[in-house]
Amino acid sequence: MSPEGLSRSFAQVIDRVGDSRLRISLYHFPQMSAVPFSIDLVGRLRDAFPEVIVGMKDSSGDRAHLES
């Protein structure tokens, strides 16, 4: 799935839930999901939904990704 597709999927879920109490913590674990969260995607989601996207756990084992 492309970053754009992921962004649209999150936006659709957030819009459909439609509850101001919704909070999402992203979990970057591409070895299990086969779908990585790029830094660009995380930034895009945070910009679009700053009150909803509240954190991220990175279990990729890729220190360079974590520091970018």
Side-chain angles (χ1 to χ4, degrees):
M1 182 174 277
S2 72
E4 182 60 36
L6 281 170
S7 180
R8 283 194 311 264
S9 294
F10 272 95
Q12 187 175 45
V13 168
I14 291 166
D15 289 342
R16 286 187 177 186
V17 168
D19 190 326
S20 64
R21 297 172 295 169
L22 179 65
R23 300 295 180 264
I24 297 175
S25 291
L26 305 173
Y27 190 7
H28 179 68
F29 198 178
Q31 298 92 322
M32 294 298 289
S33 68
V35 181
F37 286 106
S38 68
I39 299 303
D40 178 60
L41 173 61
V42 173
R44 185 182 310 173
L45 290 172
R46 286 281 299 156
D47 289 346
F49 306 101
E51 300 298 320
V52 176
I53 306 298
V54 296
M56 180 172 169
K57 178 176 179 169
D58 190 315
S59 293
S60 67
D62 180 358
R63 186 172 180 96
H65 183 270
L66 181 64
E67 293 175 343
S68 53

